Amino acid sequence: MSSQQTFRIGILGSGKGSNALAIIDACASGAIPAQVAVVVSDVAEAGILEKARAKGLNAQHIEPGKFRTKLDDAAEVAFIKALQDAKVDLVVLAGFMRILKGEFLRVFKDRVINIHPSLLPSFPGLDAWKQALDYGVKFTGVTVHFVDQGIDTGPIIAQETVPILQGDTAETLHKRIQETEHRLYPAAVAALARGDVAVRGRQTIWKQTSGI
Ligand code: GRF
């Protein structure tokens, strides 16, 4: 990409889209030097599509096919095509509830990132804030990571801790985790858009001038 071209982001999500909105707003304000080129969801009525459309963005629903936790082959092709048609440089998962593997990760090698509501490698998988609360840890947090073939296992880009307070419920803890996500994810995407982060095996290398 030449320095003249705008860095282009594709966002995939299945839910309410609060992280997508934080990234969309950060692009609009210039805090992220990029534009959201397309938003795609496997759920027709997902809030993420509504929020993207309200901002005038290209927002598409693509049928995921017959499986519950992954895309079928035809759907994978359709998702790849939508992102390629939008010429995205980076694929940002924001509450996308399907596992991406194989061809998708080959096409977008080292260009797919995710946000997870715990300090990985603790508490991968669903409802990570509830897992942390049930386990009794005193700190949990948020992780932004590259996506690989595993579940929440890719190289870590950024993390921030969130304390678990006396009296926290799943709801109060999740709310504080999401507030952290809405700060950390745009900051991480901005660093990637600036070219400040490189991945070498399991390590991510940050330029010294950058940092979250
Ligand atoms: C976030 O909590 C994120 O950590 C997880 O899915 C949730 C998506 O929430 N991967 P939203 O749709 O961005 O509000």
Side-chain angles (χ1 to χ4, degrees):
M1 200 181 69
S2 90
S3 57
Q4 309 305 312
Q5 287 173 321
T6 310
F7 190 88
R8 296 171 72 83
I9 296 170
I11 305 180
L12 304 188
S14 310
K16 68 182 194 290
S18 67
N19 279 282
L21 185 61
I23 290 166
I24 291 165
D25 286 347
C27 287
S29 76
I32 299 176
Q35 74 179 79
V36 176
V38 68
V39 176
V40 186
S41 182
D42 55 326
V43 179
E45 63 280 6
I48 189 171
L49 290 178
E50 207 177 298
K51 287 182 172 68
R53 288 188 184 120
K55 297 284 180 178
L57 296 174
N58 173 6
Q60 303 179 23
H61 166 240
I62 297 178
E63 283 293 345
K66 59 180 184 277
F67 301 112
R68 202 172 49 83
T69 58
K70 63 176 185 175
L71 301 173
D72 72 13
D73 288 349
E76 184 180 59
V77 168
F79 271 74
I80 291 170
K81 183 171 187 310
L83 292 161
Q84 285 180 329
D85 285 351
K87 298 185 169 42
V88 305
D89 300 296
L90 181 71
V91 179
V92 174
L93 306 186
F96 188 61
M97 298 305 285
R98 288 170 192 271
I99 298 159
L100 295 169
K101 288 196 164 173
E103 185 59 14
F104 191 100
L105 293 181
R106 265 192 296 282
V107 170
F108 297 106
K109 185 172 168 15
D110 294 340
R111 292 192 292 143
V112 185
I113 65 170
N114 183 43
I115 189 158
H116 183 76
S118 77
L119 290 178
L120 291 170
S122 291
F123 312 124
L126 292 177
D127 295 344
W129 64 95
K130 281 191 201 147
Q131 296 183 50
L133 199 60
D134 290 347
Y135 194 94
V137 292
K138 301 300 181 196
F139 288 90
T140 184
V142 173
T143 303
V144 179
H145 63 95
F146 285 103
V147 175
D148 67 7
Q149 298 264 348
I151 295 178
D152 303 324
T153 51
I156 290 171
I157 299 166
Q159 290 187 302
E160 190 171 324
T161 55
V162 175
I164 294 182
L165 306 177
Q166 289 291 325
D168 253 341
T169 62
E171 289 68 34
T172 59
L173 178 57
H174 190 213
K175 183 167 180 291
R176 284 206 315 289
I177 285 177
Q178 284 233 297
E179 286 164 6
T180 304
E181 289 183 338
H182 299 160
R183 191 172 58 248
L184 191 68
Y185 214 6
V189 172
L192 286 157
R194 287 193 303 262
D196 285 352
V197 185
V199 58
R200 306 256 184 284
R202 275 220 61 82
Q203 310 302 321
T204 55
I205 321 284
W206 284 68
K207 279 192 185 160
Q208 284 203 337
T209 48
S210 197
I212 289 182

